[in-house]
């Protein structure tokens, strides 16, 4: 059986370093807002090339705290519109709606499945204040054209970098491309904790301070509350684990690239559309997503050969009961993607032999 993602094997590859890091925190007696979080924030900011990093409890909080901070700063107001990809994980939208802002959904560009700048431009109204770019499946969705459009129209550009830690746009990393970025260190992400974790990165000092304050009960000085904030802190144990894994992120991403390259050169089947790569360094292969009109049959076929696959994602946000008021809206490209996509196993611990088994099976599919 080839698992879709073998987290046990991934963790085992760092076992002794993780054990040491956890033991260090356990015996320190200091579990929150301490040196592990502080040094992780410094290291992750340096990795992205950003001036500030605020570690928070998870990726959804990271994104929603950015928008909340913009509201506290007077940049955003209730009812303002934020353009978000229609084909994303629901967290991107939840961050918008939880802040009483309106997600305006953009159809993807069908080569990379990322934001289509022309589509974004069409959706801009006098109420638009921000664009959220999601680097879907690990491929950078940012472009100079998008930046220029946002600059011209006075829009904040927010990155959802949950799936693309380590990817580049030219010489700059994702997480340092827009005005602010939210990321997730959910265990299955390219940089994954052993539990929930997330972070905001930005070069805006005021935004950084506002996010940090909001995430800690709206308080800078203990027992003095400036905002009706929330509790979204990263704990010391997760920060210590993330420091261990951050040191290997580039080499782990290189292993993902090697698997992706194997798939891209080995899979030859007219029924299957392979993912397109814009630039090598712009893709960190969080997921390797193929498309086929016969998705259910292919998934079943691979399952019978002991190959586990997943679907990212089976139902788009606008068709979810959570957004029932939008269920009648139509986003045809997005809906097509949700019918056709299938994610193959890819991770730093998947072997090339396993990849070859998967390639052979897919090439046999008729
Ligand atoms: C995982 C993910 C999130 C949310 O992260 P959590 O840590 O699970 O809250 C947000 N956006 C995208 C695109 C994701 O893949």
């Amino acid at each position: 059986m080839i698992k879709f993602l073998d987290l046990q094997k991934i963790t085992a590859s760092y076992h002794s370093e993780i054990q040491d890091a956890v033991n260090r925190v356990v015996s320190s007696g200091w579990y929150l807002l301490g040196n592990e979080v502080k040094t992780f924030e410094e290291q992750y900011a340096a990795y992205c090339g950003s001036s500030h990093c605020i570690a928070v409890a998870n990726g959804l909080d990271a994104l929603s705290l950015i928008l909340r901070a913009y509201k506290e700063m007077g940049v955003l107001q209730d009812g303002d519109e934020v353009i978000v990809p229609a084909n994303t994980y629901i967290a991107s939208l939840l961050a918008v709606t939880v802040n009483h802002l309106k997600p305006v959904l953009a159809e993807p560009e069908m080569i990379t499945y990322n934001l289509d700048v022309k589509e974004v431009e069409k959706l801009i109204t006098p109420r638009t204040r921000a664009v959220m770019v999601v680097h879907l499946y690990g491929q950078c969705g940012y472009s100079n054209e998008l930046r220029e459009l946002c600059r011209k129209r006075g829009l904040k550009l927010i990155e959802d970098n949950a799936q693309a830690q380590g990817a580049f746009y030219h010489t700059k990393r994702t997480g340092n491309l827009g005005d602010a970025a939210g990321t997730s260190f959910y265990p299955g992400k390219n940089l994954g904790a052993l539990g929930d974790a997330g972070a905001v990165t930005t070069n805006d000092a005021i935004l950084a301070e506002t996010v940090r304050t909001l995430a800690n009960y709206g308080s800078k000085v203990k027992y003095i509350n400036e905002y009706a904030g929330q509790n979204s802190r990263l704990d010391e144990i997760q920060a210590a684990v993330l420091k261990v894994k951050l040191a290997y992120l580039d080499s782990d991403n290189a292993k993902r690239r090697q698997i992706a390259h194997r798939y891209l050169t080995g899979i030859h089947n007219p029924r299957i559309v392979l993912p397109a790569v814009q630039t090598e360094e712009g893709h960190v292969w969080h997921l390797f997503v193929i498309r086929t009109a016969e998705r259910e049959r292919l998934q079943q076929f691979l399952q019978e050969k002991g190959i586990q696959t997943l679907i990212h994602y089976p139902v788009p946000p606008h068709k979810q009961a959570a957004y029932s008021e939008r269920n009648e809206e139509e986003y045809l490209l997005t809906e097509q993607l949700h019918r056709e996509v299938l994610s193959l196993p890819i991770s730093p611990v998947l072997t090339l032999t396993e990849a070859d088994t998967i390639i052979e099976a897919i090439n046999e599919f008729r």
Side-chain angles (χ1 to χ4, degrees), residues 259-275:
I259 303 283
H261 186 257
R262 197 84 158 194
Y263 283 149
L264 288 171
T265 51
I267 297 174
H268 300 284
N269 187 324
R271 293 170 190 272
I272 283 158
V273 181
L274 290 169

Side-chain angles (χ1 to χ4, degrees), residues 33-147:
L33 300 177
N35 203 46
E36 300 291 342
V37 166
K38 185 168 177 294
T39 49
F40 171 68
E41 288 178 340
E42 288 165 3
Q43 290 172 17
Y44 188 68
Y47 180 83
C48 294
S50 308
S51 336
H52 307 278
C53 170
I54 306 95
V56 298
N58 56 65
L60 174 58
D61 281 3
L63 294 168
S64 66
L65 281 161
I66 292 168
L67 295 167
R68 169 101 197 259
Y70 277 135
K71 288 183 80 182
E72 300 292 352
M73 290 159 66
V75 175
L76 295 176
Q77 254 124 55
D78 279 8
D80 281 348
E81 294 174 4
V82 180
I83 297 173
V84 182
N87 60 317
T88 181
Y89 182 55
I90 196 166
S92 317
L93 272 78
L94 288 170
V96 177
T97 53
V98 77
N99 280 296
H100 310 288
L101 301 163
K102 186 179 167 208
V104 172
L105 303 182
E107 285 271 57
E109 170 272 289
M110 288 299 273
I111 308 290
T112 62
Y113 316 135
N114 272 325
L115 271 185
D116 181 338
V117 182
K118 285 193 285 302
E119 192 61 31
V120 172
E121 187 160 20
K122 277 192 239 157
L123 295 172
I124 297 174
T125 75
R127 282 310 296 269
T128 311
R129 292 287 176 275
V131 175
M132 188 181 294
V133 56
V134 181
H135 306 303
L136 196 69
Y137 305 150
Q139 175 141 254
C140 180
Y142 171 95
S143 63
N144 286 337
E145 295 70 41
L146 182 63
R147 168 89 271 180

Side-chain angles (χ1 to χ4, degrees), residues 122-321:
K122 277 192 239 157
L123 295 172
I124 297 174
T125 75
R127 282 310 296 269
T128 311
R129 292 287 176 275
V131 175
M132 188 181 294
V133 56
V134 181
H135 306 303
L136 196 69
Y137 305 150
Q139 175 141 254
C140 180
Y142 171 95
S143 63
N144 286 337
E145 295 70 41
L146 182 63
R147 168 89 271 180
E148 193 47 30
L149 177 66
C150 291
R151 196 193 58 75
K152 264 196 341 229
R153 308 297 289 265
L155 310 177
K156 293 290 181 198
L157 181 57
I158 298 160
E159 293 171 77
D160 178 340
N161 193 30
Q163 301 192 357
Q165 295 108 0
F168 280 95
Y169 181 74
H170 299 308
T171 56
K172 269 181 144 183
R173 296 244 196 216
T174 56
N176 186 32
L177 297 169
D179 294 292
T183 197
S184 163
F185 307 119
Y186 175 85
K189 305 287 159 119
N190 288 36
L191 178 57
L194 303 184
D196 275 317
V200 172
T201 48
T202 180
N203 295 316
D204 179 338
I206 296 171
L207 179 70
E209 174 152 291
T210 311
V211 167
R212 189 178 294 286
T213 307
L214 284 166
N216 187 33
Y217 286 107
S219 166
K220 271 188 219 123
V221 177
K222 206 167 187 182
Y223 304 130
I224 305 295
N225 300 86
E226 287 175 49
Y227 309 107
Q230 63 200 68
N231 176 356
S232 183
R233 300 179 298 225
L234 181 68
D235 61 69
E236 291 279 288
I237 289 182
Q238 295 303 341
V241 170
L242 284 166
K243 282 199 292 183
V244 170
K245 294 182 74 178
L246 179 59
Y248 297 99
L249 179 56
D250 285 340
S251 65
D252 282 351
N253 282 341
K255 291 180 194 150
R256 289 174 182 271
R257 278 197 187 101
Q258 200 183 9
I259 303 283
H261 186 257
R262 197 84 158 194
Y263 283 149
L264 288 171
T265 51
I267 297 174
H268 300 284
N269 187 324
R271 293 170 190 272
I272 283 158
V273 181
L274 290 169
V277 192
Q278 285 194 310
T279 63
E280 271 284 294
E281 70 283 4
H283 207 324
V284 290
W285 299 103
H286 174 57
L287 296 169
F288 191 96
V289 178
I290 62 173
R291 271 203 289 141
T292 171
E294 290 151 287
R295 190 224 353 241
E296 271 61 41
R297 202 162 67 75
L298 176 59
Q299 185 169 38
Q300 185 61 33
F301 177 82
L302 294 174
Q303 184 66 39
E304 279 158 18
K305 294 188 173 283
I307 298 161
Q308 193 185 20
T309 57
L310 292 180
I311 296 166
H312 298 90
Y313 299 90
V315 182
H318 72 280
K319 292 292 185 201
Q320 300 284 356

